[in-house]
Amino acid sequence: MPPRAWYARSDAARISLHGTWRFRLSPSATAEDDSFARPDFDDAQWAEMRVPGHWALKGHGTPAYTNTAYPFPVDPPRVPDENPTGDHRQLFDLPEGWGEGPAMLQFAGVESCARVWLNGQELGHFKGSRLPHEFEVGHLLRPHRNVLAVRVHQWSSGSYLEDQDQWWLPGIFRNVTLHRRPEGAVVDHFVHAGFDHVTGRGTLRVECAPAGRVTVPELGLDLATGDSASVPVRPWTAERPYLYDGELVTPGERIPLRIGFRTVRVEDGLLKVNGRRILLRGVNRHEFHPRYGRTVGPEAMRRDLLLMKRHNINAVRTSHYPPHPAFLDLCDELGMWVIDECDLETHGFGRQGWRGNPVDDERWEPALLDRARRMVERDKNHPSIVLWSLGNECGTGRGLSAMAAWVRERDPSRPLHYEGDPSCADTDVYSRMYADHAEVERIGQRTETPLPDPELDGRRRELPFILCEYAHAMGNGPGGLSEYQRLFERYERCQGGFVWEWIDHGLRQQTPDGEVFHAYGGDFGEELHDGNFVCDGLVFPDRTPSPGLIEFKKVIEPVRIEGSGSGGGSADGSGGPGEAGGAADTVRITNLHDFADLDHLAFRWTYEVEGEVRGEGGLVVPPLAPGESAELKLPAPPVVADDGGEAFWTVRAVLAEDTAWAKAGHEVAWGQLRAAARRTAAPPAAAPALAAPRRGEGNVILLGPGIFDATTGTLGYLDGIRLTGPRLDVWRAPTDNDEAAPWQPDPRPATEWRRLGLHRMRHRVDAVETGPDALVVRTRVAPAATDLALRTVYRWTAERDVLRLELAVDPEGDWPAPLPRLGVRMSVCASLRLAEWYGGGPGEGYPDTRAAARVGRWSMPVDAMQTPYVRPQENGARPGVRWARLTRSDGLGMRIEGDPEFYFTARRWPVEELDAARHTTDLTPGDAVWLHLDHAQHGIGSQSCGPGVLPQHRLEVAPARFSFGFSSLRGASPFAGS
């Protein structure tokens, strides 16, 4: 049947055919004949299969992951004989009162090709995995024992159009339903609901076959289909997604409507909705569940959108196919700008210079147009969809032009998107993937590299710009988000982008011992795969937010809260927690929403000294319109006699009332401002005397609370606490972004680090010297096979019960690459499992991923400090730490102070084991806690697919000076005062 608009409910009967089906898997398309489709066929010996679902996730065959390569020989339109084929059978009865007459059998999603029989009669076959297909079956139905038979082939000619960087998972993975179509039922309908931002009026017109009437009680409308009416309305936006309830009535059916009035246009070189430029704070979203693959239920869909809304995300690109239509209903309801993308990608042809690419072959044009039609017709009534996308990474060709022409004629109300054609000949926006910051700035200035064709160049230069993919969220990262966002805010042409991507596609597995981990490419014996490149999301496979999502929320928050007045200091920016200038006495609030004022938010302040709350209250903020700012006086800081430490104001914007996506009190934005410290007058104290190092029995040196090896100068005990180190360290278990994608230009960070030998540095002690008040250890730290080195001097002193270490690091040689990290590494007893620190937190942060780290006093078990990236890698550093503690449950332990602030990492395995691990289950806690106290870290970037680390976040090799103080804790409460 021709494609038509999807709707969730009507008064016409329908039944779901979900449930347990009979299933048989064959190794090829021709291994079995068609006799299984006969109603009397005996399937008693077949397996059972839950539909919707993927057979490869139910013990029949295995999943396989490739990014761009086709996992079969490229010989379009043919596929190999080795073509797993699943035969499905379902027996069903019609409900009482079903009646006779037309009925529609609908498949919402089947990968990749299906043949269908009902009661022994073949209905036909179809391709287009993420699109609906319907057959008229009323004449074949009977009251009882209807037999539906479906043969699904994993590979077909359609597979060449579905190379979309995901698991290859055949099966009937979306709804199968039977729809009663009584005489006069709706064949199709198209809701047109525009909004005039000048007059404030909306215009409604509903096309329908057959003709009927439309009522919208709230607006007092009762219209014949085809007629239009213009009335004052509340417009629909992603920020305030107002929907009017209506009803479409034809002689045979009643359909509820949810109508959102809005108008989308490209004008003045900008993408506008309801007359205003919008800024897309978006993510790319594949449909994925760690147990069920692309079978994603309504609870998971809603959970995705609630998480997005709670993390300030306002836009979704449905990469790279139309999602389940229920997801779009939720986008309408909760408020989300949507780019709806066609089920089309031919990326694998790029590996052969696009030779044979179907989108430039007229023989494929009917298939391309069919996919475009099925997307647009199914989804045309969703106000959340503001752009149609022709597909993804298909190169260029006449097929795309044909699709664009058809879509424009069918729905001129929405602009068109496609990234793969730099000429933008068939699009209304200029779209790029992974453009670095410098290129984005040039595009914002409309000074990008010109196209050879002056006419096309002039047209493209007038188009709005979006990054349809950026900030590759693979593993630890992405870095550089703050710098991107400032460009989007500075240049109106740059209208935001979509982080790649929303979720890690790790498939839930268990070890023989029952430990859960998430599998990626290669874990199922695939002969061709792309490893963990499928795990590149802002949430982990179980939909737990990653540090990257927490960072993204902070960077894109729709209210900016920053210091102003006397100091202008702010502690929330990319410079890191607490690194702002002078003290603030006023706060500047800026509304960054596109449409909403601030009347839906309440503002709260907290005043803290050394991480302890001294006062809190409300802050009256006017209901600023979008783009407006106000400077507000902060209250006088509360006075506490003993306060003499570092103080901060934290100002938070929270929801004033419950919304559809979060409760009142949910934090939308925050800012942290350095406050003036109040110090009580105290008489000057004489500098404490430094202890003298002395020799002890057993070849040791005693200095204050420390016991050192006299030969190596290594600290072995701190006031009875056994430890090893600290020792200079520069290696980290490379992140996915350190490893970089294979196609990235050299030098790729981790490759260069290993080439230099930074993962196998050797230490030589040149001198252990004792003086009247210090122990000095001189070392040379260097990799084999080079003359590069780091001359390191450890100077140990003791004041009362504090052992202080001052380090001087001076490089030798011409270092060709930055360092991964620079600091010291040490181990302590595994019983010190509780961590507390004052500094950035509560989550991890690195030089270019620390906007979300706020200065405070944080505490958690060491195990909770780990970030369980699907492929283990460097993680867990807390930035801007002033002091940290590690204790046992009874409070015994040690305290570490840093000057300057440092990165604090604690884990229960050494970096070598973290580097070697492929999955989280490869990491086994040992008999020590390993500490990294880093003076500096190299940034993160997003070079796993995007740009590398920005210059200001690179850890260049240079002389460095830093110090730490170590002291013991003697059994006080582990989280007592400093």
Side-chain angles (χ1 to χ4, degrees):
M1 298 299 292
R4 63 188 176 105
W6 183 88
Y7 45 93
R9 294 179 294 120
S10 88
D11 68 342
R14 65 176 68 178
I15 59 173
S16 168
L17 299 181
H18 297 181
T20 302
W21 294 35
R22 290 291 186 175
F23 176 78
R24 174 182 67 187
L25 181 65
S26 303
S28 72
T30 57
E32 301 286 349
D33 61 23
D34 299 347
S35 61
F36 83 102
R38 295 199 317 262
D40 60 352
F41 182 85
D42 183 2
D43 59 15
Q45 302 304 311
W46 284 20
E48 293 185 339
M49 170 65 63
R50 184 75 183 174
V51 172
H54 301 281
W55 71 66
L57 299 182
K58 298 298 181 181
H60 304 279
T62 56
Y65 165 64
T66 60
N67 171 23
T68 64
Y70 290 106
F72 48 80
V74 179
D75 182 25
R78 302 166 186 85
V79 294
D81 292 341
E82 296 89 351
N83 188 359
T85 295
D87 290 334
H88 304 67
R89 283 172 54 92
Q90 173 70 315
L91 189 70
F92 66 94
D93 297 331
L94 295 179
E96 290 293 329
W98 179 270
E100 297 182 352
M104 207 79 74
L105 176 64
Q106 184 187 81
F107 294 86
V110 181
E111 183 174 327
S112 77
C113 172
R115 292 178 66 193
V116 185
W117 294 261
L118 181 62
N119 294 329
Q121 176 69 47
E122 184 168 6
L123 304 179
H125 75 277
F126 61 84
K127 303 163 191 170
S129 296
R130 267 66 72 175
L131 295 162
H133 302 272
E134 292 183 314
F135 298 97
E136 209 296 309
V137 296
H139 60 293
L140 297 175
L141 290 171
R142 50 200 187 201
H144 302 289
R145 298 190 64 79
N146 292 279
V147 177
L148 176 61
V150 186
R151 171 164 286 173
V152 179
H153 304 295
Q154 175 160 15
W155 309 123
S156 70
S157 59
S159 302
Y160 285 100
L161 305 181
E162 297 172 2
D163 188 24
Q164 291 142 324
D165 185 13
Q166 59 182 330
W167 293 99
W168 297 93
L169 292 171
I172 304 170
F173 66 92
R174 284 189 188 158
N175 314 53
V176 182
T177 48
L178 186 66
H179 298 243
R180 176 90 165 85
R181 308 311 296 149
E183 184 177 353
V186 173
V187 175
D188 195 15
H189 70 292
F190 195 165
V191 178
H192 303 271
F195 177 72
D196 187 328
H197 66 280
V198 177
T199 65
R201 299 175 72 86
T203 301
L204 177 66
R205 178 172 60 88
V206 178
E207 300 173 9
C208 184
R213 298 198 70 81
V214 177
T215 57
V216 186
E218 186 176 350
L219 296 175
L221 293 178
D222 186 344
L223 298 172
T225 56
D227 291 348
S228 65
S230 179
V231 293
V233 298
R234 296 173 61 179
W236 187 97
T237 69
E239 293 172 3
R240 292 183 170 167
Y242 196 83
L243 294 171
Y244 289 89
D245 288 323
E247 188 175 53
L248 170 62
V249 181
T250 66
E253 191 171 18
R254 307 174 76 93
I255 298 175
L257 301 178
R258 304 210 75 193
I259 303 166
F261 290 89
R262 59 104 187 95
T263 296
V264 188
R265 289 198 180 100
V266 172
E267 57 185 10
D268 305 320
L270 300 174
L271 175 65
K272 295 182 179 181
V273 177
N274 301 338
R276 290 178 181 257
R277 169 193 185 258
I278 61 172
L279 182 57
L280 301 169
R281 302 169 169 92
V283 293
N284 286 274
R285 176 186 176 269
H286 267 296
E287 288 188 306
F288 181 76
H289 190 282
R291 290 179 182 267
Y292 310 121
R294 280 188 284 284
T295 301
V296 180
E299 291 184 3
M301 295 180 205
R302 181 173 286 273
R303 184 176 177 187
D304 278 347
L305 280 168
L306 293 180
L307 277 172
M308 291 177 192
K309 294 289 288 189
R310 291 168 186 169
H311 289 85
N312 296 328
I313 291 165
N314 71 359
V316 170
R317 176 180 175 227
T318 69
S319 55
H320 299 293
Y321 41 82
H324 191 292
F327 180 78
L328 298 173
D329 282 345
L330 291 171
C331 291
D332 296 341
E333 172 194 332
L334 296 172
M336 195 68 61
W337 309 119
V338 174
I339 298 181
D340 198 5
E341 192 149 87
C342 194
D343 188 14
L344 176 61
E345 180 168 341
T346 63
H347 202 171
F349 287 90
R351 300 165 68 93
Q352 53 195 47
W354 298 105
R355 185 175 63 256
N357 186 11
V359 304
D360 199 27
D361 184 336
E362 62 183 10
R363 295 173 297 174
W364 289 83
E365 192 171 300
L368 303 181
L369 287 171
D370 179 68
R371 289 171 184 247
R373 288 190 187 105
R374 291 186 182 278
M375 172 183 70
V376 171
E377 299 294 6
R378 191 197 77 168
D379 296 341
K380 56 184 178 278
N381 294 327
H382 291 283
S384 56
I385 297 172
V386 293
L387 289 164
W388 298 118
S389 180
L390 301 178
N392 183 68
E393 291 179 312
C394 298
T396 59
R398 68 197 82 176
L400 292 171
S401 298
M403 293 169 68
W406 184 90
V407 174
R408 281 200 169 95
E409 181 178 0
R410 179 62 175 138
D411 181 25
S413 72
R414 292 178 175 95
L416 291 187
H417 168 271
Y418 177 67
E419 178 272 339
D421 182 1
S423 76
C424 298
D426 296 314
T427 70
D428 300 304
V429 297
Y430 178 26
S431 178
R432 287 275 287 108
M433 290 182 181
Y434 306 109
D436 63 25
H437 301 77
E439 183 182 356
V440 170
E441 182 152 32
R442 291 192 299 272
I443 292 171
Q445 296 167 342
R446 302 188 191 267
T447 60
E448 65 265 29
T449 302
L451 292 168
D453 184 318
E455 183 176 348
L456 286 175
D457 181 67
R459 178 183 177 276
R460 190 184 75 175
R461 217 170 283 274
E462 294 301 315
L463 297 180
F465 174 73
I466 63 172
L467 279 166
C468 67
E469 294 180 21
Y470 83 114
H472 198 249
M474 187 176 178
N476 187 334
L481 287 170
S482 295
E483 290 82 0
Y484 272 120
Q485 196 66 19
R486 296 302 173 260
L487 292 171
F488 302 154
E489 294 167 3
R490 183 179 309 141
Y491 300 105
E492 67 173 6
R493 184 191 188 190
C494 298
Q495 295 193 237
F498 298 82
V499 169
W500 185 267
E501 63 166 305
W502 173 241
I503 190 169
D504 284 342
H505 298 203
L507 291 169
R508 190 179 190 273
Q509 301 287 296
Q510 286 184 306
T511 67
D513 296 331
E515 287 187 90
V516 173
F517 68 98
H518 289 99
Y520 47 79
D523 287 335
F524 298 98
E526 306 101 302
E527 63 180 7
L528 188 69
H529 67 84
D530 285 294
N532 69 314
F533 201 72
V534 76
C535 295
D536 45 15
L538 289 171
V539 296
F540 296 127
D542 63 0
R543 286 178 162 77
T544 300
S546 77
L549 181 58
I550 307 304
E551 177 81 356
F552 192 45
K553 175 186 179 180
K554 173 60 182 167
V555 167
I556 63 174
E557 58 191 11
V559 180
R560 178 144 314 129
I561 303 170
E562 54 195 348
S564 58
S566 63
S570 171
D572 69 344
S574 59
E579 292 187 2
D585 55 13
T586 62
V587 61
R588 182 177 181 85
I589 309 290
T590 303
N591 182 3
L592 300 177
H593 289 87
D594 295 325
F595 297 92
D597 59 26
L598 297 187
D599 62 358
H600 64 295
L601 298 175
F603 289 80
R604 305 275 186 263
W605 62 264
T606 304
Y607 182 78
E608 294 176 306
V609 178
E610 295 289 327
E612 294 191 349
V613 175
R614 293 290 188 260
E616 52 192 348
L619 189 67
V620 178
V621 176
L624 302 170
E628 290 185 345
S629 298
E631 292 193 10
L632 305 171
K633 186 76 173 177
L634 292 165
V639 177
V640 177
D642 295 335
D643 280 352
E646 185 179 36
F648 284 98
W649 298 97
T650 301
V651 178
R652 304 165 58 241
V654 302
L655 290 179
E657 298 177 349
D658 290 353
T659 69
W661 48 271
K663 296 290 187 182
H666 166 78
E667 183 178 276
V668 172
W670 62 272
Q672 204 165 43
L673 326 171
R674 190 183 296 278
R678 292 181 172 271
R679 298 193 176 276
T680 57
L690 298 178
R694 65 188 190 279
R695 289 277 178 169
E697 295 182 3
N699 195 37
V700 298
I701 296 174
L702 309 177
L703 178 62
I707 301 177
F708 297 80
D709 185 294
T711 302
T712 64
T714 303
L715 178 64
Y717 288 90
L718 175 70
D719 200 13
I721 299 172
R722 182 78 174 93
L723 50 82
T724 303
R727 188 165 76 161
L728 188 77
D729 190 39
V730 299
W731 182 245
R732 72 185 187 195
T735 68
D736 289 311
N737 289 302
D738 292 336
E739 297 285 6
W743 59 83
Q744 293 281 22
D746 287 326
R748 299 196 289 273
T751 301
E752 186 72 353
W753 293 340
R754 289 192 178 98
R755 186 187 69 80
L756 293 174
L758 301 189
H759 60 308
R760 46 176 172 77
M761 300 288 276
R762 298 293 179 257
H763 297 249
R764 186 183 75 214
V765 177
D766 289 337
V768 178
E769 304 167 348
T770 56
D773 57 7
L775 168 64
V776 177
V777 182
R778 304 182 188 278
T779 70
R780 186 177 189 270
V781 183
T786 79
D787 61 355
L788 303 175
L790 297 171
R791 289 282 185 181
T792 306
V793 178
Y794 303 75
R795 187 177 188 273
W796 291 95
T797 58
E799 301 173 5
R800 298 192 180 98
D801 294 329
V802 177
L803 192 62
R804 186 162 302 280
L805 168 62
E806 297 175 1
L807 290 101
V809 182
D810 292 287
E812 294 180 352
D814 185 12
W815 287 75
L819 296 175
R821 68 180 344 133
L822 181 65
V824 295
R825 166 186 175 182
M826 59 191 298
S827 66
V828 298
C829 178
S831 64
L832 304 183
R833 294 184 180 181
L834 299 176
E836 182 189 18
W837 70 97
Y838 170 53
E844 72 185 29
Y846 291 80
D848 54 350
T849 66
R850 59 186 293 184
R854 67 184 88 185
V855 176
R857 186 175 295 199
W858 313 102
S859 61
M860 64 184 67
V862 166
D863 287 348
M865 296 181 71
Q866 315 313 305
T867 303
Y869 294 113
V870 173
R871 184 191 72 80
Q873 55 198 270
E874 167 62 32
N875 74 90
R878 270 52 180 187
V881 173
R882 283 71 163 161
W883 57 257
R885 291 196 185 107
L886 281 173
T887 61
R888 303 187 321 197
S889 57
D890 62 4
L892 282 171
M894 64 184 295
R895 173 186 167 97
I896 305 160
E897 297 180 39
D899 184 16
E901 300 158 5
F902 61 100
Y903 290 86
F904 170 57
T905 308
R907 57 174 70 105
R908 296 178 65 200
W909 37 76
V911 68
E912 291 81 7
E913 292 182 13
L914 187 62
D915 193 1
R918 293 186 67 246
H919 298 97
T920 52
T921 49
D922 296 334
L923 295 168
T924 303
D927 57 1
V929 171
W930 293 86
L931 302 181
H932 291 270
L933 314 175
D934 290 315
H935 173 62
Q937 280 262 1
H938 186 61
I940 298 296
S942 64
Q943 204 173 350
S944 53
C945 191
V949 175
L950 287 164
Q952 62 267 35
H953 301 307
R954 290 168 57 92
L955 179 50
E956 303 293 357
V957 181
R961 304 291 184 269
F962 51 100
S963 68
F964 300 101
F966 302 91
S967 56
S968 66
L969 301 172
R970 301 177 182 274
S973 169
F975 303 136
S978 61

